[in-house]
Amino acid sequence: AKRVGFFTLAEPPQEFDKVVCFRRGQDWSRRGSVSDVSEEVSDGTGGLRKGAEGVKVTVTTETGEDFKSWSAFLAPINDKEYSAICTTHALLSSTFCDRHPCANPAEAKPVSQEEAREALVRWLQEMEDADGESLAIAGASQAWILAEFDSHCESCLYLYTTHQKLGPRTALNTGHDYSLYYRALNNTLNVDADPNISNAMPLIRRMIYLLLYDETTGEKRLHKGGRVWKGDTQRPVPLNMHKLREA
């Protein structure tokens, strides 16, 4: 349980922790805040073997209702904010979805290199941070990014997959860090606000197109698939794994 991110007898949740329940039945996917924690010996109900020691947790939902669960069935709602996974409902109600010209990104009209470059210029010049404050990116940094864009094949993907510096790092929180090109673009999507989204949309659409199609032939890239490795130091929390399986 500990290895995959659930609470345990040795490491129970703390009062006020936000948790989600993964026990099949009426409490499946219920969420709330921990209001009480106590060590008990199971009588065989609630999913824990009779006679086994466990941590019984009382969880208070947003509506004020309480439910009880053994800690082994509870997990943090999300202890890694930056890697949170967007639900389908959140995507459909997002600024990104509203600004995208087509419900299916694969069916959208391809964006040219020139249109993507114009979008890149606007995005760099009018960028705002996660708090909606203007970000002043030095002219030299903008010129370097544009030079890199002009000198590489599939430049939208090249900029995103390399460590291109936009400026000094001013925030420890990854979700507020705009010092690197790829991170600034990630946070543009995560914050999901204008003008960043509207300015970057042609750039993003071209990235999507180049990931799906070979521009020289117009044919769809047929990815073989397989295991994907993500460079995190810890496993995704159970709630995010559940969202991935649903997706």
Side-chain angles (χ1 to χ4, degrees):
K2 177 181 178 181
R3 187 173 68 86
V4 297
F6 289 89
F7 292 109
T8 65
L9 179 63
E11 295 186 13
Q14 303 297 311
E15 193 174 358
F16 306 120
D17 280 354
K18 304 292 185 182
V19 298
V20 58
C21 181
F22 280 95
R23 181 167 187 263
R24 296 287 179 183
Q26 63 180 9
D27 292 331
W28 169 263
S29 200
R30 292 186 78 182
R31 307 180 184 200
S33 178
V34 174
S35 54
D36 185 64
V37 178
S38 61
E39 290 189 18
E40 298 182 15
V41 176
S42 174
D43 60 1
T45 61
L48 194 63
R49 187 180 70 252
K50 185 176 181 178
E53 292 185 6
V55 175
K56 182 64 72 68
V57 181
T58 302
V59 181
T60 303
T61 66
E62 288 186 353
T63 61
E65 295 179 283
D66 287 346
F67 70 93
K68 294 181 182 292
S69 172
W70 296 106
S71 64
F73 298 108
L74 298 175
I77 284 185
N78 187 4
D79 63 359
K80 299 171 79 174
E81 176 185 352
Y82 186 68
S83 63
I85 296 169
C86 182
T87 62
T88 301
H89 174 75
L91 173 63
L92 293 177
S93 59
S94 67
T95 304
F96 171 88
C97 201
D98 183 65
R99 300 294 183 269
H100 201 286
C102 186
N104 182 353
E107 297 175 358
K109 180 183 176 182
V111 173
S112 69
Q113 180 83 341
E114 292 72 25
E115 290 173 311
R117 191 184 194 280
E118 291 173 2
L120 175 60
V121 172
R122 287 195 302 273
W123 179 63
L124 290 173
Q125 291 180 346
E126 300 176 14
M127 191 180 299
E128 293 183 354
D129 64 16
D131 297 318
E133 300 291 334
S134 295
L135 277 172
I137 299 175
S141 297
Q142 294 188 43
W144 170 260
I145 293 294
L146 292 173
E148 292 290 279
F149 183 92
D150 294 335
S151 59
H152 288 88
C153 178
E154 298 187 342
S155 49
C156 291
L157 298 181
Y158 173 81
L159 289 177
Y160 186 74
T161 54
T162 53
H163 243 57
Q164 302 294 333
K165 193 82 171 173
L166 292 183
R169 183 166 186 172
T170 58
L172 292 176
N173 186 331
T174 306
H176 289 76
D177 179 24
Y178 289 74
S179 63
L180 296 171
Y181 177 92
Y182 81 91
R183 201 165 275 172
L185 194 55
N186 281 353
N187 285 328
T188 289
L189 291 166
N190 290 339
V191 175
D192 189 47
D194 277 334
N196 287 2
I197 283 287
S198 292
N199 287 341
M201 184 57 73
L203 191 64
I204 296 166
R205 285 176 53 201
R206 181 161 175 80
M207 285 178 62
I208 294 172
Y209 177 79
L210 291 175
L211 287 170
L212 295 175
Y213 294 92
D214 183 332
E215 190 172 31
T216 57
T217 64
E219 295 181 356
K220 191 168 185 177
R221 298 183 193 270
L222 299 177
H223 299 279
K224 292 188 297 182
R227 176 167 294 192
V228 177
W229 297 92
K230 192 173 186 299
D232 281 345
T233 57
Q234 298 176 329
R235 297 169 66 96
V237 294
L239 183 60
N240 282 348
M241 287 298 293
H242 177 63
K243 289 179 184 177
L244 282 172
R245 290 190 184 98
E246 284 189 328

